[in-house]
Amino acid sequence: MGRQFCGSIDDMVQQVQERGYAILENFLSSEQLASARQLLDGKMGGYQGRNNFEGSKTERIYALLSQHKIFQDIVEHQQLMALCDHFLEPNYLLTTSQAICIHPGETPQPWHCDDAFYAIPRPRNMALSTVIALDDFTKENGGTEVIPGSNTWSEAEAGGDYRTGEIETDPQFAARMAEKAVVVEMPAGACVVFAGNTLHRGGRNTSAGVRRALSNQYCQPWARTIENFFLTIPRHEVKTMSPKIQSLLGYSVHPPFMGQVSGSHPLKTLDPDFVPSVYRDRS
Ligand SMILES: O=C(O)CCC(=O)C(=O)O
């Protein structure tokens, strides 16, 4: 299997290419880890998943980056941006930014890959995902499970359409996954990065504590994003964010003109007086 943790960007690129994932140790500073935990603890106690995928004993906070600058800093972490620069086309987007807190008693998620809803045959290069541990990830507390090498699998090898959930009921599929699965056991503050087509799932939590994590995911600049940040984050808040975050949220033009706003650059919409020309010209 090779080393669990890796250092240089080249190492990480190689591991993501070869086995579908790489683990970045000491990804968060101790201050970021402490603040992220504190902020999440203050927000938990609300939203529970509505289905087996979101997890009925799992709390998720979507559009997490809108909640504090620290989450924005993590979204645009230098190592991640270097990996996105390598795997995705310029002007790549943030597709989701969430907290995933798996409570005791949670069952495993269905196996899936985060780019499953893009109807492009495997293997494909649509996205890059991260899960950032805010608690030590273990086999007992629901540490993420991955299928090494599944990023290179064809449609036939991957076994079918993960969107339907039907595949989960196939005992042969379950046995094959069980044989290949690896639990990402990593310390709090570490981050697992995986290709959008790597099969993985949140694990079963048989421990007495909650497993807290963040998950930021990035996609090609021409793909539809999971979260609609234009409708979630008010423009006056986007205006306060860094140029990189603004671009990740879709305030960019992917050449020649994807993302334009009635002929204008989307950054112009951050001016409170901006009116799209199509409305401005209406009598
Ligand atoms: O929580 C985890 O470890 C993984 C979650 C996940 O893969 C997802 O929700 O898409």
Side-chain angles (χ1 to χ4, degrees):
M1 176 70 49
R3 281 167 304 138
Q4 273 286 97
F5 298 99
C6 50
S8 75
I9 298 295
D10 289 348
D11 257 10
M12 294 178 229
V13 165
Q14 193 184 347
Q15 293 209 13
V16 173
Q17 279 168 341
E18 286 176 1
R19 66 175 192 182
Y21 71 100
I23 301 171
L24 320 183
E25 210 177 0
N26 301 317
F27 175 78
L28 299 181
S29 67
S30 48
E31 293 79 23
Q32 283 176 322
L33 177 60
S35 307
R37 283 174 167 167
Q38 197 186 6
L39 287 161
L40 278 200
D41 288 350
K43 288 180 188 300
M44 278 205 292
Y47 185 85
Q48 298 279 339
R50 295 157 290 192
N51 49 50
N52 198 24
F53 183 84
E54 283 188 313
S56 58
K57 294 195 170 75
T58 298
E59 279 187 68
R60 291 177 189 252
I61 303 171
Y62 292 111
L64 186 70
L65 85 165
S66 65
Q67 299 299 298
H68 200 278
K69 166 97 169 55
I70 185 198
F71 297 122
Q72 294 158 34
D73 295 341
I74 296 169
V75 164
E76 62 170 326
H77 191 289
Q78 200 192 352
Q79 282 175 308
L80 288 184
M81 295 301 90
L83 287 174
C84 286
D85 288 343
H86 181 89
F87 285 104
L88 302 173
E89 293 176 34
N91 305 307
Y92 49 80
L93 300 168
L94 183 69
T95 172
T96 182
S97 162
Q98 43 178 299
I100 306 178
C101 301
I102 301 183
H103 286 269
E106 183 60 285
T107 54
Q109 250 193 326
W111 288 107
H112 65 280
C113 45
D114 289 336
D115 66 0
F117 32 73
Y118 297 119
I120 294 175
R122 297 173 59 89
R124 57 188 163 237
N125 179 32
M126 294 298 298
L128 206 64
S129 288
T130 66
V131 179
I132 301 156
L134 298 187
D135 294 293
D136 293 347
F137 271 24
T138 64
K139 188 174 185 323
E140 289 72 38
N141 74 357
T144 311
E145 298 174 30
V146 294
I147 305 291
S150 55
N151 56 310
T152 62
W153 290 1
S154 65
E155 292 291 336
E157 287 168 303
D161 187 344
Y162 292 86
R163 290 170 298 187
T164 62
E166 272 173 28
I167 195 155
E168 287 293 317
T169 58
D170 174 352
Q172 274 182 332
F173 173 80
R176 194 154 69 93
M177 294 294 126
E179 187 190 311
K180 294 181 189 299
V182 167
V183 180
V184 177
E185 296 198 271
M186 59 182 182
C191 167
V192 58
V193 182
F194 42 89
N197 60 358
T198 301
L199 294 174
H200 66 279
R201 66 179 182 182
R204 180 191 302 280
N205 189 347
T206 57
S207 77
V210 64
R211 189 226 69 178
R212 295 165 294 182
L214 312 177
S215 181
N216 296 314
Q217 303 176 16
Y218 310 84
C219 70
Q220 295 287 16
W222 35 265
R224 184 166 187 178
T225 57
I226 295 172
E227 290 195 65
N228 189 329
F229 294 117
F230 297 116
L231 296 180
T232 318
I233 311 179
R235 278 184 274 162
H236 68 268
E237 288 192 13
V238 175
K239 194 176 163 65
T240 67
M241 298 176 183
S242 76
K244 186 67 189 180
I245 294 287
Q246 291 171 348
S247 172
L248 284 164
L249 292 175
Y251 292 80
S252 69
V253 168
H254 184 57
F257 33 61
M258 286 184 90
Q260 51 106 339
V261 181
S262 185
S264 293
H265 194 287
L267 275 177
K268 291 196 175 157
T269 70
L270 300 183
D271 175 345
D273 296 329
F274 176 82
V275 179
S277 64
V278 70
Y279 281 94
R280 203 185 315 135
D281 301 342
R282 239 163 46 170
S283 53

